[in-house]
Amino acid sequence: MNRDTQLQQLREDITWDMVIIGGGATGLGAAVDAASRGYKTLLVEQYDFGKGTSSRSTKLVHGGVRYLEHGNIKLVKEALRERGWLLKNAPHLTSVQPFVIPVRRWWQKWYYGLGLRLYDLLSGKLSLGQTQLLSAKETLALLPALAPEKVKGGILYYDGQFDDSRLCIDLASTAVLHGATLVNYCTVTGLIKEKKKITGITVHIAATDETHTIKARSVVNATGVFTDTILKMDDPDATNMVDPSQGVHLVVDAIHFPGTHALMIPKTDDQRVLFAVPWHNKVVIGTTDTPIEEVAAEPLVLEEEVDYILEHINRYVSPQIRREDIKSVFAGLRPLVRSKEGTSTALLSRDHTIVVSPSGLVTITGGKWTTYRKMAQDAVDNAVFISKLDKRLCITKNLPIGDPLSVQQKKEKMIQEDQRLASKLHPDFSYQWADIAYAVRHEMAVTVEDVLARRTRLLFLNAHAALDCLEQVVLFMQIELNQSDEWVQAQKKYFIELVEGYL
């Protein structure tokens, strides 16, 4: 997946069967789907792949236990099915994660236990494990961080876990493997129409100051929280579709939450669930649900959101987790589909919605990471129908994602050619310099943030550690990308300011 090669393909004067705007989970999934069906596919992303919501999740591949309580059986059943296929198609980035729900009253054990038995039944042959009722002693053995006086028992159940932005990169490489062209840092500046129907887009590539006109038989808007921007580019009078909601997560060392089991708190003060999930030898705790007026590429964590998470987790754990224990904090925006006035974002549906505009623009938004494949299939099916392309069957249910063996072999070859690449990026993490070299040469990483936030997860795991690596990484990338000293200074300045939001 070489960026120069992808750019050269974008510059070709051809008509694409499908142009996808947005390089998050849904857009990349659509690119894999369309390309694997044999459609000539182009995807453009204004930032980096997975820069927004898709790299800032709770790291769970799950059916959504709490949606059962809301009676949304259809969504849960679909998500559980998709969970099973994702774990099968990307085993190198996913795993089965055992969860424990601690209870404080005896009746809660049966109430949640029955709900989770239904959860198991809905997953059918794709079940990940049998739900079990636990005694207080068994619960504390699995979650030793819990305060013993607050536990009367628990329920053990199973869900999936994954690395979100790494999955984005593997989806991108899979799309390219099947013939798609993908370009990051490529901004859509306009939609081209003939007789009121979309026939293409115009794009701008900032790094080279290029402007291109792209011809397309169909255009898919998969821009997440930026959905309304593209809708208004199509029709200035279009009604907003998205109510953005911010979710914040804290990352702490595993010493504060030892063991391999995750915690699920079934009901917070605002009717949400709260998770504490082991991830990359750290623990991710979250999340919040804060309505947001302004959509930003880099959302800011609010002080009250950190307080909220600490307050709720500390009702269960001992010793208490303090602010100074937090290694990183990150915020993501959910593209929730707009509903009735006055409805809390915590209660808005996580189901996805597709809208086809009079111009033929296919917009898909809402949904959740777990159901990205189904969302992509629905978007591609609609684009094929609207543009009268030859109908071809979707094959992504059983399509392997990424090629981990090939990636490892290429990294080993790099190390053989340059032994320095075998050394660790940071003494506290397993990342090697070969990971950085591979990200730049084969994964279209063009900024320090791409490398330290998404190709590796250092910024999300320990913001100070990411800052420690900045000097060496930027100089390494300068040589790899043949960049100027001015580029180095600009990268340093931006990344230092970026890290402030994660501290």
Side-chain angles (χ1 to χ4, degrees):
M1 196 165 71
N2 179 277
R3 193 162 188 272
D4 288 340
T5 303
Q6 298 300 299
L7 277 169
Q8 196 53 49
Q9 290 169 0
L10 175 139
R11 294 179 185 120
E12 292 176 10
D13 183 20
I14 62 172
T15 300
W16 300 86
D17 290 330
M18 200 169 300
V19 169
I20 299 158
I21 309 171
T26 309
L28 291 166
V32 170
D33 189 312
S36 64
R37 295 194 207 190
Y39 298 121
K40 189 73 175 166
T41 306
L42 170 68
L43 179 147
V44 292
E45 161 58 45
Q46 67 173 332
Y47 301 113
D48 184 32
F49 306 122
K51 156 73 176 174
T53 309
S54 296
S55 63
R56 300 157 187 268
S57 73
T58 314
K59 322 305 176 195
L60 299 180
V61 186
H62 64 134
V65 175
R66 73 189 185 97
Y67 308 135
L68 279 180
E69 201 170 9
H70 299 158
N72 197 338
I73 302 292
K74 177 181 170 288
L75 175 62
V76 174
K77 194 170 182 178
E78 178 179 276
L80 288 170
R81 194 169 57 238
E82 294 296 330
R83 179 191 72 176
W85 287 326
L86 180 52
L87 265 67
K88 182 167 61 74
N89 292 332
H92 59 298
L93 292 174
T94 61
S95 60
V96 176
Q97 175 64 58
F99 282 80
V100 174
I101 300 178
V103 298
R104 296 177 171 182
R105 294 177 179 84
W106 68 268
W107 62 266
Q108 291 176 323
K109 188 194 291 191
W110 297 100
Y111 176 75
Y112 292 119
L114 285 170
L116 287 161
R117 287 279 167 85
L118 174 60
Y119 195 62
D120 285 347
L121 285 171
L122 290 172
S123 61
K125 293 178 181 178
L126 296 170
S127 173
L128 304 182
Q130 191 71 38
T131 294
Q132 299 172 41
L133 300 183
L134 306 173
S135 66
K137 185 178 179 181
E138 289 170 327
T139 302
L140 290 167
L142 296 178
L143 294 180
L146 294 184
E149 68 277 7
K150 297 179 179 178
V151 178
K152 295 292 187 287
I155 306 100
L156 170 68
Y157 75 99
Y158 297 86
D159 244 324
Q161 195 218 43
F162 77 134
D163 188 322
D164 46 15
S165 76
R166 284 304 319 172
L167 184 56
C168 276
I169 300 307
D170 274 17
L171 284 170
S173 66
T174 304
V176 170
L177 182 69
H178 286 276
T181 297
L182 281 69
V183 180
N184 53 355
Y185 296 101
C186 178
T187 303
V188 174
T189 53
L191 303 176
I192 301 165
K193 296 181 183 179
E194 290 178 16
K195 298 178 182 176
K196 298 184 179 180
K197 296 291 183 183
I198 291 179
T199 58
I201 62 173
T202 54
V203 298
H204 180 252
I205 302 164
T208 50
D209 196 27
E210 295 176 61
T211 299
H212 293 282
T213 298
I214 310 292
K215 291 181 283 191
R217 292 185 174 90
S218 62
V219 176
V220 175
N221 173 15
T223 53
V225 291
F226 296 99
T227 293
D228 294 329
T229 303
I230 302 298
L231 280 174
K232 284 181 164 46
M233 198 179 281
D234 177 45
D235 175 8
D237 298 322
T239 305
N240 284 349
M241 271 187 72
V242 172
D243 268 334
S245 164
Q246 178 160 295
V248 165
H249 297 83
L250 314 181
V251 179
V252 299
D253 282 331
I255 193 172
H256 300 290
F257 196 84
T260 57
H261 288 64
L263 165 70
M264 197 267 256
I265 298 169
K267 195 160 282 188
T268 59
D269 292 348
D270 63 347
Q271 310 303 303
R272 287 193 57 74
V273 296
L274 194 78
F275 295 103
V277 185
W279 187 66
H280 286 304
N281 300 316
K282 301 285 183 185
V283 177
V284 177
I285 307 171
T287 180
T288 57
D289 205 316
T290 310
I292 295 294
E293 292 294 325
E294 292 294 322
V295 172
E298 198 58 54
L300 294 175
V301 175
L302 304 175
E303 290 292 326
E304 55 264 34
E305 291 178 299
V306 176
D307 291 339
Y308 169 94
I309 294 173
L310 287 176
E311 181 190 341
H312 280 86
I313 194 70
N314 284 332
R315 292 177 187 176
Y316 286 81
V317 303
S318 180
Q320 304 277 278
I321 297 172
R322 303 162 300 168
R323 274 180 172 263
E324 51 265 39
D325 297 324
I326 300 169
K327 296 298 179 183
S328 185
V329 55
F330 60 91
L333 301 181
R334 303 178 191 90
L336 302 181
V337 179
R338 179 160 282 196
S339 178
K340 297 172 186 174
E341 291 295 324
T343 302
S344 161
T345 54
L347 300 177
L348 288 183
S349 173
R350 266 51 175 178
D351 214 342
H352 64 273
T353 297
I354 291 182
V355 171
V356 179
S357 302
S359 65
L361 176 69
V362 175
T363 295
I364 180 159
T365 194
K368 48 192 283 208
W369 237 121
T370 306
T371 57
Y372 88 91
R373 191 210 64 83
K374 181 63 166 65
M375 293 172 67
Q377 180 182 348
D378 290 349
V380 172
D381 283 346
N382 274 269
V384 168
F385 177 78
I386 290 300
S387 56
K388 296 182 174 60
L389 290 167
D390 292 339
K391 189 175 181 181
R392 299 166 191 169
L393 292 178
C394 170
I395 64 168
T396 54
K397 283 180 186 176
N398 300 297
L399 189 72
I401 299 166
D403 189 351
L405 184 62
S406 171
V407 170
Q408 190 55 39
Q409 288 171 344
K410 286 176 182 174
K411 287 179 183 177
E412 287 171 1
K413 186 180 179 185
M414 285 179 181
I415 290 170
Q416 288 170 3
E417 293 170 354
D418 185 350
Q419 286 296 314
R420 291 172 298 180
L421 296 179
S423 59
K424 281 187 173 185
L425 180 63
H426 189 280
D428 296 340
F429 293 87
S430 61
Y431 296 120
Q432 297 175 297
W433 280 96
D435 295 316
I436 307 301
Y438 188 86
V440 175
R441 296 172 194 175
H442 301 291
E443 293 181 339
M444 298 174 71
V446 294
T447 72
V448 173
E449 182 196 352
D450 296 347
V451 164
L452 292 180
R454 288 175 293 279
R455 307 305 185 276
T456 72
R457 305 314 308 273
L458 209 52
L459 180 59
F460 284 73
L461 295 167
N462 187 321
H464 282 293
L467 207 52
D468 292 342
C469 298
L470 172 60
E471 187 73 32
Q472 285 183 288
V473 168
V474 75
L475 293 175
F476 180 88
M477 291 183 73
Q478 180 187 24
I479 295 168
E480 286 285 327
L481 296 169
N482 192 28
Q483 291 285 4
S484 65
D485 290 343
E486 289 77 17
W487 179 87
V488 169
Q489 295 308 314
Q491 284 291 303
K492 283 185 187 177
K493 182 175 184 293
Y494 174 78
F495 194 73
I496 289 167
E497 290 172 359
L498 179 74
V499 170
E500 285 297 316
Y502 290 75
L503 292 174

